[in-house]
């Protein structure tokens, strides 16, 4: 019998999602729209803050994760599994938990994003669907953990 995609998901599988360099203008543009705190908007104000220099919003770091996950997640998952078949339907995410911004992301920092599968289990409330739970982490160019959270996504078990 052929194994289904869902049955081949193994805890510990790691997906390398890509990297992003946080340039000063992109930090300010995001902040003006979504997180207008002085240390995200202005170098001088940032120097006088506890951060000491311009840094990205944590929400900007999260938004970049989503961009990279949508763009590269399927390819990374195929590579991690050695999967060549059709990809299953993906459903919505019922949420995330334990979001931590562990250190600032400064202008010029490059974050590498990865997702490590913690578990894949059948959904008790939605027949034909399972839940993938993964730890998402972003590390800077010095291999220091900057952001971490646990994400849950619905995925078809058929």
């Amino acid at each position: 019998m052929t194994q289904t995609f869902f049955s081949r998901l193994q805890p510990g599988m790691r997906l390398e999602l890509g990297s992003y360099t946080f340039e000063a203008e992109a930090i300010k543009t995001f902040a003006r729209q979504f997180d207008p705190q002085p240390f995200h908007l202005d170098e001088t104000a940032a120097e006088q803050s506890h951060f000491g220099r311009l840094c990205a919003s944590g929400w900007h770091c999260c938004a970049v994760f989503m961009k990279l996950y949508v763009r590269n997640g399927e390819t990374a998952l195929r590579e991690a599994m050695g999967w060549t078949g059709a990809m299953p339907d993906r459903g919505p995410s019922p949420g995330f938990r334990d979001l931590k911004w562990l250190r600032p992301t400064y202008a010029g920092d490059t974050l590498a994003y990865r997702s490590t599968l913690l578990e894949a289990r059948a959904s008790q409330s939605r027949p034909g669907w399972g839940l993938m739970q993964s730890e998402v982490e972003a590390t800077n160019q010095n291999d220091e953990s900057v952001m971490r959270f646990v994400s849950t996504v619905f995925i078809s078990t058929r």
Side-chain angles (χ1 to χ4, degrees):
M1 180 174 149
T2 306
Q3 275 191 318
T4 65
F5 177 92
F6 191 79
S7 69
R8 291 180 56 173
L9 293 171
Q10 296 298 315
M13 290 174 47
R14 191 175 196 177
L15 310 182
E16 300 295 336
L17 299 171
S19 62
Y20 179 87
T21 300
F22 287 80
E23 301 294 346
E25 283 311 307
I27 289 171
K28 293 175 194 176
T29 298
F30 184 94
R32 276 191 294 275
Q33 259 191 304
F34 302 108
D35 192 356
Q37 298 183 74
F39 42 82
H40 299 319
L41 292 168
D42 178 75
E43 282 89 347
T44 303
E47 287 173 12
Q48 296 169 6
S49 76
H50 59 281
F51 291 114
R53 57 186 209 236
L54 188 70
C55 63
S57 165
W59 296 113
H60 190 177
C61 297
C62 288
V64 169
F65 156 75
M66 196 69 223
K67 176 183 178 176
L68 293 173
Y69 178 76
V70 169
R71 184 188 324 160
N72 303 329
E74 184 176 307
T75 300
L77 190 53
R78 283 182 177 281
E79 289 173 2
M81 294 176 67
W83 184 257
T84 57
M87 292 298 286
D89 291 334
R90 283 190 276 179
S93 169
F96 65 92
R97 62 183 170 81
D98 300 329
L99 173 61
K100 292 181 174 56
W101 292 305
L102 303 163
R103 58 181 34 89
T105 297
Y106 293 108
D109 281 356
T110 298
L111 300 190
Y113 291 82
R114 70 190 53 84
S115 177
T116 303
L117 185 64
L118 299 173
E119 76 168 331
R121 63 176 175 80
S123 170
Q124 301 206 356
S125 62
R126 293 185 180 204
W129 289 89
L131 291 163
M132 285 178 29
Q133 194 168 84
S134 301
E135 181 183 67
V136 173
E137 182 180 32
T139 55
N140 64 20
Q141 65 279 357
N142 300 317
D143 204 31
E144 299 167 319
S145 189
V146 170
M147 179 186 80
R148 189 178 301 133
F149 63 91
V150 176
S151 171
T152 305
V153 173
F154 278 102
I155 190 162
S156 173
T157 59
R158 300 166 215 203

